[in-house]
């Protein structure tokens, strides 16, 4: 098996590495490197500007919409190098990773011209309005309605768990536009401005004082008639595209983040002597082998994408990816807390510092200053839920990949 990348890819890697070296602050990535809250704020702002100037934001988008038109191999190398350096590729997960690529695939030319450059420049931020109180895993049961009134859609209903809704300028939401059609058929995918009188956002405060997600109420909210993506009543197919991006984005590079985190956990075990406990060693070795599996499966997925292979094993890899990494991460963070013992309960974080939640999401604990690893422990509990619960991924593998009968 030849695991080396083609020479052009390695050339491109050098280019990115040099850019990162030149643009990241001195000492970045070295042990003990820290920024206080103010420095982090300044860095984040400056970093977005640098990324934009370097053309690295959404760099695989076509040049006509502001991207660099990178091919798959280049995009993978770009992701790998940023992951290796521990540098964020960008802040707005929902715009860059979910709705932007969905508009590229399904949007009209007008929608592409209107929204893509603004996403790329960070001028508009987004939230995802899919889940409702009675429609999570069974998303097609959603009840939020949209009715045409002249040139506008009028939206009524409620969404829940809407991350970042408080700050977002737009929501990409699913609404029922034909109540008489079978439930998967009468749904449309709408792009709706958030700052309007018909929308009320109620933050859901969590135990740590942060309120990352929200309830969102629509009471005769409006958006232009042309803000339907992929055609009226075709929203289910469009939503599946978005969910594909949500579940599959980290397939080839996700293992790097986990490897770095696992190294920190192993260091902690060495420091407090737990690394010589045979049961801890066994669990660490198990975790290490899972990260290796992710790496190898990432290479398999990449090979399949480059060769445009469409077979059952490729589909299975895609469907198992989200389930595999999220369950790995939940388990390894439990291991970390076990390794730390009582020390794991001491709050050693900085109240002013934002911490990364993975997938580009960041939060700040207002009343409960957790360390980055403690934050990772808490957030790992949600990773087997958002973007489609692990049980649902198993159903997808069972029914669509293995061809087993549908669950009752
Ligand atoms: C941190 C976080 C952020 C989120 N952000 C957003 C967001 O920005 N926008 C958005 O729209 N949504 C968001 N969500 C919601 C998320 O998509 C839903 O929580 C998820 O789809 C599960 O739906 P539910 O919570 O209604 O659980 P349910 O669907 O009620 O599931 C409850 C339990 O039953 C299991 N279950 C359900 N059906 C089956 C079945 N058929 N077979 C086997 N087991 C089953 C599930 O796996 C789960 O364990 C977020 C969730 C979290 C945790």
């Amino acid at each position: 098996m030849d695991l080396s990348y083609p020479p052009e890819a390695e050339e491109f890697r050098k280019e990115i590495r040099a850019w990162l070296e030149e643009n990241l602050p001195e000492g970045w990535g070295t042990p003990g490197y820290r920024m206080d809250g103010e420095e982090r704020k300044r860095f984040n702002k400056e970093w977005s500007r640098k990324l934009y100037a370097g053309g690295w934001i959404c760099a695989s988008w076509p040049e006509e919409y502001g991207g660099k038109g990178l091919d798959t191999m280049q995009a993978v190398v770009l992701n790998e190098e940023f992951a290796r350096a521990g540098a964020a590729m960008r802040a707005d997960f929902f715009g860059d990773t979910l709705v932007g690529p969905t508009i590229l695939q399904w949007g009209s030319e007008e929608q592409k011209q209107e929204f893509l450059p603004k996403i790329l420049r960070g001028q508009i931020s987004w939230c995802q309005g899919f889940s409702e109180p009675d429609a999570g895993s069974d998303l097609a049961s959603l009840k939020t309605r949209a009715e045409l009134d002249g040139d506008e859609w009028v939206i009524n209903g409620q969404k829940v768990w809407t991350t970042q809704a408080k700050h977002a300028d737009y929501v990409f939401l699913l609404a029922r536009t034909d109540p008489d059609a079978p439930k998967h058929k009468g749904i449309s995918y709408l792009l709706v401005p958030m700052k309007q009188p018909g929308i009320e956002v109620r933050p859901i405060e969590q135990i740590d004082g942060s309120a990352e997600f929200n309830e969102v109420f629509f009471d005769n909210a409006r958006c232009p008639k042309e803000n339907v993506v992929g055609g009226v009543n075709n929203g289910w197919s469009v939503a599946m595209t978005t969910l594909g991006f949500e579940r599959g984005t980290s397939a080839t590079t996700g293992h790097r983040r986990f490897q770095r985190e696992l190294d920190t956990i192993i260091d902690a075990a060495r420091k407090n002597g737990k690394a010589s406990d045979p049961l801890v060693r066994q669990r660490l070795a198990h975790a290490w082998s899972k990260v290796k599996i992710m790496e190898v499966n990432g290479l398999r997925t990449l090979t399949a994408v480059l060769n445009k292979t469409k077979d059952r094993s490729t589909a299975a890899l895609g469907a198992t990816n989200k389930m595999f990494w999220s369950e790995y991460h939940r388990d390894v963070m439990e291991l970390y807390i076990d390794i730390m013992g009582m020390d794991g309960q001491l709050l050693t974080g900085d109240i002013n510092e934002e911490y990364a939640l993975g997938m580009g999401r960041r939060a700040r604990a207002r009343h409960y200053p957790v360390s980055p690893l403690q934050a990772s422990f808490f957030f790992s509990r949600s990773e087997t839920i958002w973007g489609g619960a692990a049980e649902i991924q198993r159903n997808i593998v069972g029914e669509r990949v293995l061809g087993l009968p549908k669950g009752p």
Side-chain angles (χ1 to χ4, degrees), residues 94 127-139 159-164 212-213 246 361 379 382-392 395 408:
F94 293 99
C127 62
Q128 176 181 26
F130 284 14
S131 307
E132 298 185 2
D134 291 318
S137 300
D138 186 13
L139 185 57
K159 298 289 171 181
V160 72
W161 313 126
T162 322
T163 306
Q164 284 187 29
E212 189 208 336
F213 42 40
E246 189 165 12
R361 303 177 198 203
F379 197 67
S382 76
E383 288 169 340
T384 53
I385 304 172
W386 61 256
E391 291 81 0
I392 299 308
N395 285 349

Side-chain angles (χ1 to χ4, degrees), residues 20-81:
L20 284 167
E21 251 165 51
E22 204 169 297
N23 287 281
L24 281 168
E26 217 169 302
W28 176 272
T30 54
Y33 181 81
R34 279 182 68 81
M35 280 186 206
D36 66 25
E38 273 311 306
E39 282 170 332
R40 163 75 59 187
K41 225 189 256 167
R42 247 180 290 131
F43 167 77
N44 285 349
K45 211 165 158 200
E46 177 74 350
W47 187 240
S48 285
R49 198 190 56 71
K50 284 184 175 175
L51 283 176
Y52 181 67
W56 302 125
I57 295 173
C58 306
S60 54
W61 293 7
E63 286 174 44
E64 56 192 300
Y65 304 117
K68 264 191 195 297
L70 299 189
D71 62 27
T72 306
M73 196 71 232
Q74 289 174 315
V76 166
V77 170
L78 177 71
N79 278 316
E80 282 182 356
E81 287 309 308

Side-chain angles (χ1 to χ4, degrees), residues 332-343:
V332 81
M333 292 324 296
E334 269 173 22
L335 170 59
Y336 167 70
I337 294 292
D338 288 349
I339 287 171
M340 294 308 286
M342 294 302 277
D343 284 351

